[in-house]
Amino acid sequence: SLFRLKDLEVAKLGDSDVHVKMLAAPINPADINMIQGTYAILSPLPAVGGNEGVGEVLEVGRRVAALKPGDWVIPAGPGLGTWRTHGVFPEETLLKVPSDIPVLCAATLSVNPCTAYRMLADFETLAPGDSVIQNAANSGVGQAVIQIAKASGIKTINVVRDRPDLPKLVERLMALGADHVVTEEMLRKPEMKDIFKSIPKPRLALNCVGGKSTTEMLRHLQPKGTMVTYGGMAKQPVMVPVSAFIFRDLRLRGFWMTQWKKDHAQDQESLASMMDALCQLIRRGQLAAPACTEVPLQDYKAALEASMKPFTSLKQILLL
């Protein structure tokens, strides 16, 4: 096993440092990929796992102006190492978040909802009544896409893999505000035409799978539509028929939240306005934390195993 739980001394608090008591941190696919060395970021070893989570400020160094004890903070970027009970971090590695939102919402705010928000905003100009199609619709990002789209009056067509408890999953996604939930097999069926009697064909497709799922999803995009790829769970390339390019002028783009944060490092305004918008949705009850299982830190092994199982619909969240 690559993991051990270790007791370490908490580092001394420097002038620009913040001592944080971690409250909760999820296990995301990217966290696992980073540990396996298959991600675009590698942490120097030994490293603490976890790129996301929320903590409470206990103490601040004398030069720290923007944070005070009692504030809630989340990582400003990746690689913070959130799977720990306490940490001392430089002030600029942390972002303040309101402490009046549920702890699980705060713990899962910085990756999936931000990814969903940016993909809905940055690639196509969508208006109320427009539609988007996405695969892996039950993922953390998928659940956030459904809710953010719903709050903006955008219709969602949600593709999931067929599974034994499909009706239960469909019910859960519909309760979040999904307009349509279809299996990958249904993408090929004539019934898809019925869906497009009531809603327009999507101008935006969000792809987290790759392989056949993506090719099937592309068929339903409007001419000049955009497909954004942000993950590749099938570990297969994206295949596009030549005709989709020539006759329908489809656009293929990619998105990586980490890169967006790097590109906007000097533009605190855009980060703040996104965080405000998401926290507003959370307060209004329009954006919930993803379906999750809360696990005490000492049971981390079980949580890691559970997070790597196929068809997992529950995000494992470590309570610290």
Side-chain angles (χ1 to χ4, degrees):
S1 156
L2 295 157
F3 283 98
R4 285 205 301 281
L5 199 52
K6 280 183 79 163
D7 286 323
L8 302 169
E9 286 289 303
V10 174
K12 223 167 88 47
L13 189 73
D15 288 348
S16 307
D17 288 341
V18 180
H19 180 190
V20 177
K21 176 191 183 304
M22 291 303 296
L23 301 172
I27 299 176
N28 291 320
D31 301 331
I32 307 278
N33 295 344
M34 252 171 103
I35 292 149
Q36 292 167 336
T38 58
Y39 203 59
I41 307 170
L42 296 174
S43 294
L45 296 172
V48 178
N51 288 294
E52 190 179 33
V54 63
E56 182 184 333
V57 175
L58 294 183
E59 200 188 343
V60 299
R62 58 190 182 89
R63 285 220 195 97
V64 174
L67 295 170
K68 59 184 188 309
D71 284 347
W72 277 14
V73 289
I74 63 174
L80 195 65
T82 51
W83 300 345
R84 63 172 98 209
T85 56
H86 287 259
V88 170
F89 307 108
E91 178 185 18
E92 71 271 11
T93 62
L94 302 168
L95 273 183
K96 183 178 162 175
V97 291
S99 53
D100 65 344
I101 61 175
V103 71
L104 295 183
C105 288
T108 53
L109 182 62
S110 65
V111 180
N112 294 339
C114 290
T115 299
Y117 184 93
R118 295 264 57 105
M119 292 194 304
L120 287 169
D122 294 353
F123 295 93
E124 288 281 347
T125 312
L126 299 171
D130 283 345
S131 76
V132 302
I133 188 167
Q134 64 165 347
N135 55 23
N138 58 318
S139 67
V141 172
Q143 293 174 53
V145 164
I146 290 170
Q147 296 170 85
I148 296 167
K150 171 88 176 168
S152 331
I154 294 160
K155 308 286 184 204
T156 56
I157 302 157
N158 301 280
V159 186
V160 296
R161 288 184 295 177
D162 200 3
R163 61 194 65 212
D165 58 349
L166 184 66
K168 222 162 67 196
L169 175 62
V170 171
E171 197 181 322
R172 222 181 68 221
L173 297 182
M174 297 300 268
L176 287 180
D179 293 283
H180 299 275
V181 181
V182 300
T183 62
E184 305 209 329
E185 292 70 30
M186 275 182 65
L187 284 174
R188 284 202 84 108
K189 301 265 166 74
E191 290 93 287
M192 286 299 289
K193 288 202 177 60
D194 297 339
I195 290 181
F196 298 121
K197 284 178 185 150
S198 59
I199 63 173
K201 287 208 154 196
R203 288 224 306 279
L204 181 66
L206 306 176
N207 167 45
C208 180
V209 180
K212 213 169 101 185
S213 165
T214 312
T215 314
E216 295 299 343
M217 200 164 61
L218 273 178
R219 299 165 171 271
H220 301 293
L221 265 190
Q222 276 189 35
K224 293 199 185 330
T226 304
M227 183 178 75
V228 183
T229 292
Y230 68 99
M233 286 168 15
K235 298 195 166 40
Q236 290 163 348
V238 168
M239 308 284 264
V240 183
V242 170
S243 61
F245 279 131
I246 300 175
F247 302 123
R248 290 166 55 223
D249 190 16
L250 296 184
R251 282 137 229 258
L252 299 194
R253 302 285 307 270
F255 183 77
W256 186 32
M257 195 63 223
T258 301
Q259 188 62 47
W260 186 92
K261 281 185 177 157
K262 270 190 204 140
D263 295 346
H264 294 78
Q266 301 315 311
D267 172 16
Q268 284 311 300
E269 194 40 54
S270 59
L271 183 63
S273 72
M274 167 169 69
M275 287 303 181
D276 285 349
L278 291 169
C279 289
Q280 283 294 49
L281 289 174
I282 291 167
R283 283 195 197 95
R284 287 195 213 116
Q286 293 178 304
L287 178 60
C292 57
T293 306
E294 302 171 42
V295 184
L297 181 60
Q298 53 272 25
D299 298 343
Y300 74 93
K301 284 201 171 94
L304 282 167
E305 273 169 31
S307 72
M308 298 205 265
K309 287 208 175 87
F311 294 120
T312 174
S313 288
L314 294 170
K315 195 178 274 292
Q316 305 292 311
I317 300 201
L318 299 170
L319 297 185
L320 308 161

